[in-house]
Amino acid sequence: MAQKEGETEQWCVKTGDNFGAKAMPGAPAPGGGVVVQVREKKGPLRAAIPTMPFPLAVICLFLNTFIPGLGTFISAFTVLCGARSELIPERGVCCVFWLNVAAALIQILTAVIMVGWIMSIFWGMDMVILASQSGLFTLLSLLLLTIHTWSL
């Protein structure tokens, strides 16, 4: 059971005589137990989702909601424009671009049976979550979005 104390995350561990002893993740626990950290393992398609500026991620979510796969297809080109992805260091920009294009095609082709449409919406939501966690929602992005809105 994880508990937050200040800035440090503590884990309660059940080991031998010491039930509920506190230890840091990855460190040996009192009584000989080991604290295990859990990390989400993403597949290649999910890891290829680019981290974009927040306004662009919202636009891609909007497009994915109404035209399945279109926002994902546009996000593939952001990889070529410098958007980061977890998979780029391992596979390279070109491979990540084609993985995003493949994801867009899967969404478009399976939209007929609703699977692609639902996948497309979740994909767009992941784009927005990645953008909001990355801190790319800067004052400049907000300013550009405001200018664009006023120009309409």
Side-chain angles (χ1 to χ4, degrees):
M1 170 189 291
Q3 297 175 347
K4 292 248 182 191
E5 291 184 3
E7 295 292 320
T8 312
E9 187 170 355
Q10 298 285 325
W11 294 80
C12 291
V13 185
K14 294 180 181 177
T15 58
D17 302 330
N18 236 345
F19 290 103
K22 293 187 177 181
M24 296 296 295
V34 177
V35 178
V36 180
Q37 270 187 317
V38 179
R39 282 186 22 185
E40 180 184 3
K41 183 179 180 197
K42 297 180 180 179
L45 281 179
R46 185 70 71 179
I49 297 175
T51 303
M52 301 174 281
F54 189 79
L56 183 57
V58 170
I59 290 169
C60 287
L61 170 61
F62 181 79
L63 291 173
N64 271 350
T65 302
F66 295 104
I67 307 169
L70 183 61
T72 306
F73 188 71
I74 290 171
S75 75
F77 288 96
T78 64
V79 173
L80 298 177
C81 296
R84 293 173 285 145
S85 171
E86 295 177 17
L87 208 58
I88 288 177
E90 296 173 22
R91 302 235 180 141
V93 173
C94 189
C95 181
V96 172
F97 168 76
W98 287 111
L99 282 171
N100 278 294
V101 170
L105 288 176
I106 290 169
Q107 291 168 7
I108 292 167
L109 294 175
T110 58
V112 178
I113 55 173
M114 298 295 286
V115 173
W117 183 60
I118 294 168
M119 178 185 174
S120 184
I121 293 171
F122 277 108
W123 220 259
M125 289 170 39
D126 281 345
M127 289 178 206
V128 172
I129 289 169
L130 279 173
S132 66
Q133 289 175 346
S134 72
L136 286 178
F137 186 60
T138 61
L139 185 59
L140 180 62
S141 299
L142 184 60
L143 180 66
L144 291 174
L145 184 63
T146 306
I147 291 170
H148 179 71
T149 305
W150 280 97
S151 66
L152 297 176

